[in-house]
């Protein structure tokens, strides 16, 4: 059989990261991208949002999009049903392990600025002294006493260093405490400590199993190193033009940036080619 005779590979699930991917720099989704996702849905393909944001920082986006499907939030720690507002799965960070990891890190690197995401659909994001919080609409609660971090279950801890950049900090954290926690870099100023073994791929696999869709039939879009495991799991990984070099190096394809309808360009092409198809009956 020649390549021309081979069966056409089709995709039944479209997995999109949010920041730097589905969302433009102004935190909106373009009309063209909305239309392309709607057309893919009409063709029968499922769409799932896979984001590093925990549920409380995604609900307003779901409402704006009219999104009622499953979502993978908190770097894979949460599988959330946007239609019913329920958490289907939730993995928390062992707080004693997290404290030990931070002690080891600060012994090696010096003082860190900290933030943390509490578990639950309404869990607060806490930000400590010196932690640089991105401007924008996402709510957070300042804290002064580190004891407040450990008062309730957490999905993750965010770390910042006064001198090291994000890549250097993530690398140092993996080398120092990678046997205790997972470490990922999800964006500018966003280095995270997670439960060991957790990644977007793990959460996406759980959600896809509920939809009865295989990894081979999954098309993933992303822009940051935290999307690398998702690309490894999915049948095809498409990086945005604005993506981090670590993700660009493993992508199957590079599309236009998040500000230039990169997702829509790929979906429109695939729709024209018949490469998006209905997911199996649940």
């Amino acid at each position: 059989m020649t390549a021309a005779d081979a069966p056409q590979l089709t995709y039944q699930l479209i997995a999109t990261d949010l920041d730097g991917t589905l969302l433009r720099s102004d935190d909106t989704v373009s009309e063209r991208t909305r239309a392309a996702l709607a057309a893919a849905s009409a063709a029968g393909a499922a769409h799932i949002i896979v984001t590093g944001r925990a549920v409380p920082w995604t609900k307003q986006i779901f409402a704006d999009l009219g999104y009622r499907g499953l979502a993978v939030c908190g770097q894979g720690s949460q599988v959330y049903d946007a239609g019913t507002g329920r958490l289907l799965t939730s993995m928390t960070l062992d707080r004693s392990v997290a404290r030990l990891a931070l002690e080891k890190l600060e012994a090696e690197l010096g003082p860190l600025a900290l933030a943390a995401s509490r578990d639950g659909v309404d869990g607060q994001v806490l930000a400590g002294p010196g932690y640089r919080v991105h401007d924008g609409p996402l709510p957070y609660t300042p804290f002064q006493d580190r004891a407040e971090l450990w008062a309730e279950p957490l999905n993750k801890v965010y770390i910042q260093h006064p001198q090291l950049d994000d890549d250097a900090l993530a690398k140092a954290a993996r080398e120092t405490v990678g046997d205790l926690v997972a470490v990922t870099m999800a964006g500018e100023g966003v280095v995270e400590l997670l439960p060991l073994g957790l990644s977007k791929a793990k959460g996406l696999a759980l959600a896809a199993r509920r939809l009865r869709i295989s990894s081979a039939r999954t098309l993933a879009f992303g822009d940051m190193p935290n999307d690398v495991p998702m690309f490894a799991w999915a049948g095809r990984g498409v990086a945005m033009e604005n993506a981090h070099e670590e993700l660009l190096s493993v992508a199957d394809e590079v599309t236009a940036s998040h500000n230039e309808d990169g997702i829509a360009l790929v979906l429109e092409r695939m729709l024209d080619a018949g490469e998006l198809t209905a997911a199996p009956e649940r």
Side-chain angles (χ1 to χ4, degrees), residues 88-175:
L88 303 181
T89 66
S90 184
M91 179 182 295
T92 57
L93 178 62
D94 187 310
R95 284 169 280 174
S96 63
V97 172
R99 277 182 287 191
L100 176 59
L102 285 173
E103 289 171 5
K104 293 184 68 173
L105 268 178
E106 292 191 315
E108 183 72 22
L109 303 176
L112 298 168
L114 305 179
S117 176
R118 285 181 170 164
D119 189 36
V121 295
D122 297 309
Q124 294 173 303
V125 173
L126 309 177
Y131 192 88
R132 303 180 301 280
V133 180
H134 290 287
D135 293 333
L138 300 178
Y140 68 94
T141 301
F143 73 88
Q144 295 297 322
D145 186 349
R146 282 197 180 186
E148 295 180 53
L149 278 181
W150 318 119
E152 296 180 29
L154 303 174
N155 297 121
K156 57 185 170 180
V157 172
Y158 304 87
I159 59 174
Q160 292 176 346
H161 191 275
Q163 281 88 40
L164 295 177
D165 66 21
D166 301 323
D167 291 317
L169 178 58
K171 181 176 184 292
R174 288 190 193 100
E175 292 172 348

Side-chain angles (χ1 to χ4, degrees), residues 175-209:
E175 292 172 348
T176 307
V177 297
D179 59 335
L180 295 173
V181 292
V183 180
T184 194
M185 199 272 273
E188 183 181 352
V190 186
V191 177
E192 302 177 1
L193 308 183
L194 307 164
L196 197 62
L198 181 67
S199 70
K200 283 188 175 184
K202 185 165 187 175
L204 180 55
L206 289 173
R209 188 178 306 156

